[in-house]
Amino acid sequence: MKDTSTSVDRDKEGSSSGSGSHIWVMRRVMQVTMFLAGLAVLWMFLYNTASPFGIFPAFSHSINAQSSKQANYDPKLESVLRDASMKDKTVIITTLNDAWAEPGSMFDLFLESLQLGNGTQWLSNHLVVITWDQKTLARCLVVHKHCYQVETKGGNYTGEVFYMTPNYLHMMWRRTEFLGSILEMGYNFVFTDTDIMWLRDPFKQFYKDTDFQIACDSFNGNSSDLNNFPNGGFKYVQSNNRTIWFYKFWFDSRNFYPGLNEQDVLNNIKMHPLISKMKLKIRFLSTSYFGGFCQPAEDFNKVSTMHANCCVGIENKVNDLKILLEDWKKYMALSEIEKKESHPSWSVPQLCR
């Protein structure tokens, strides 16, 4: 009779060996899985610790955006915006302090540009001037009908506010906060610094179906490229949940970048993953149409605005903007044929070099 015990034992050994191998593989898979899960948890912890925003607080802004629209706002502001708005609830906004409101200074040049521009006269009816003090408000009401004095929340902006001083930073962030409240009230806006000359109707050059579009100090040719360096002095913003969230996100980000102005902080957060998750549509405006002293709009037949950027000091800005408007007057005096055939160039910058 054959001894079957050996074959049985071998079968048991093979079964035991196969089972042990299977268990070992399963253990390794579980160890790798737990290791990867641990890495993911660690990454999320570090991400939220390093980020000034955190994922959940930031998204809570989008939830609160709708409810914030129900907040109470100054009836005077409501009235000014309503009277100045276009049919689609769009307003043009600039801010003004005493130093820039002096007769013959920046504000007068800004208003003059709207009168000298090609098809820009009607835009004055939709301009809301936000003033920082009572004296500036009184001056504004003498020459314009839509003026509003904003609460400064502790700032004093009556005199010339020098670039990157604490007072300047406070003013820039108060402006950002205020513009966010305009969005919450349901108004779209074009914000413009007062040292920007409006030479053509910019609405013809704005992109369609875009939440937030902004001018550049230097434009690289691609309006969708986030590597463009934004200039906060000119932007067109649609009021919706995405932009309301974004302005809160932008304003809150100042706490993580102390000592930076709103433009530099925007440049730091523009690639933040939360912005893409919120599907905020951002475009950058070409300096061929929206130029400045940093990068001029060279074609007089295309230019919409020219900004006295890359320039410090009111006197320098006023001097060069006066020269710029003289250049524009000469161009506007040409016949239509001469405008197309001639190739005028700007005489500026001079003091702003």
Side-chain angles (χ1 to χ4, degrees):
M1 190 171 101
K2 294 183 178 179
D3 184 2
T4 60
S5 62
T6 302
S7 62
V8 172
D9 290 343
R10 285 175 181 172
D11 288 344
K12 286 182 178 179
E13 287 176 6
S15 174
S16 175
S17 175
S19 176
S21 175
H22 179 70
I23 292 172
W24 181 85
V25 171
M26 289 297 295
R27 284 177 177 173
R28 291 295 294 172
V29 170
M30 290 180 65
Q31 287 174 348
V32 171
T33 302
M34 291 178 67
F35 175 73
L36 292 175
L39 280 181
V41 171
L42 177 61
W43 181 87
M44 290 291 290
F45 172 78
L46 292 174
Y47 177 84
N48 283 290
T49 302
S51 170
F53 325 107
I55 290 179
F56 301 109
F59 273 108
S60 70
H61 282 319
S62 66
I63 297 172
N64 294 331
Q66 285 278 25
S67 61
S68 65
K69 288 186 177 181
Q70 308 302 320
N72 294 323
Y73 297 98
D74 186 351
K76 291 182 181 179
L77 177 59
E78 291 268 15
S79 176
V80 170
L81 293 173
R82 183 172 57 251
D83 292 344
S85 68
M86 303 175 191
K87 291 181 180 179
D88 65 348
K89 296 194 72 175
T90 297
V91 292
I92 301 166
I93 296 177
T94 193
T95 53
L96 191 64
N97 70 350
D98 182 34
W100 284 38
E102 288 292 323
S105 189
M106 207 72 70
F107 186 45
D108 284 350
L109 291 174
F110 175 72
L111 294 178
E112 184 181 1
S113 77
L114 287 168
Q115 297 307 310
L116 294 174
N118 186 349
T120 55
Q121 294 74 19
W122 70 279
L123 295 169
S124 296
N125 298 324
H126 306 291
L127 172 67
V128 176
V129 180
I130 304 302
T131 69
W132 297 110
D133 58 86
Q134 183 63 40
K135 182 181 178 181
T136 308
L137 176 64
R139 159 69 178 154
C140 179
L141 290 171
V142 170
V143 296
H144 190 66
K145 58 183 177 180
H146 304 306
C147 307
Y148 176 79
Q149 182 181 345
V150 70
E151 181 187 355
T152 60
K153 294 188 175 181
N156 182 0
Y157 317 131
T158 53
E160 182 174 3
V161 180
F162 294 98
Y163 184 67
M164 295 307 291
T165 60
N167 214 29
Y168 171 88
L169 293 174
H170 189 280
M171 182 171 70
M172 292 299 99
W173 284 114
R174 178 66 185 105
R175 185 179 80 181
T176 302
E177 182 183 31
F178 177 78
L179 290 175
S181 71
I182 299 297
L183 296 174
E184 292 177 5
M185 295 170 72
Y187 288 91
N188 317 309
F189 65 77
V190 177
F191 175 80
T192 174
D193 277 345
T194 319
D195 63 345
I196 295 179
M197 302 295 100
W198 285 47
L199 307 175
R200 276 191 181 83
D201 180 354
F203 286 91
K204 296 178 181 179
Q205 301 302 330
F206 289 145
Y207 297 102
K208 306 297 182 184
D209 301 320
T210 300
D211 298 316
F212 180 89
Q213 41 198 307
I214 187 167
C216 303
D217 282 337
S218 179
F219 181 66
N220 67 14
N222 182 352
S223 66
S224 298
D225 187 356
L226 292 175
N227 288 306
N228 283 296
F229 194 89
N231 185 298
F234 189 90
K235 45 192 170 282
Y236 179 34
V237 188
Q238 295 287 319
S239 173
N240 56 47
N241 284 344
R242 293 181 297 277
T243 56
I244 292 170
W245 169 84
F246 173 65
Y247 261 77
K248 291 178 181 292
F249 181 75
W250 185 3
F251 182 72
D252 289 346
S253 300
R254 76 195 188 284
N255 296 317
F256 195 65
Y257 299 99
L260 294 187
N261 63 18
E262 90 297 353
Q263 180 173 297
D264 291 335
V265 170
L266 173 61
N267 201 46
N268 282 321
I269 68 170
K270 64 188 179 184
M271 296 184 184
H272 196 284
L274 282 176
I275 293 177
S276 59
K277 283 187 177 182
M278 288 298 292
K279 301 187 184 303
L280 182 78
K281 299 175 183 176
I282 301 175
R283 299 289 288 273
F284 296 89
L285 299 169
S286 170
T287 50
S288 295
Y289 299 98
F290 303 92
F293 294 162
C294 295
Q295 192 175 75
E298 297 179 351
D299 191 340
F300 278 51
N301 295 312
K302 290 183 177 180
V303 60
S304 290
T305 63
M306 278 288 286
H307 189 182
N309 53 7
C310 292
C311 184
V312 177
I314 294 177
E315 292 182 359
N316 295 336
K317 287 175 180 279
V318 168
N319 178 82
D320 283 17
L321 288 177
K322 284 181 177 179
I323 297 171
L324 183 146
L325 289 182
E326 288 301 317
D327 289 342
W328 183 253
K329 289 177 185 177
K330 293 174 184 178
Y331 165 79
M332 290 296 289
L334 299 174
S335 67
E336 292 304 314
I337 295 177
E338 289 174 324
K339 287 177 181 176
K340 293 179 181 179
E341 294 180 349
S342 64
H343 300 282
S345 59
W346 301 110
S347 302
V348 288
Q350 291 188 9
L351 296 184
C352 286
R353 289 186 186 279

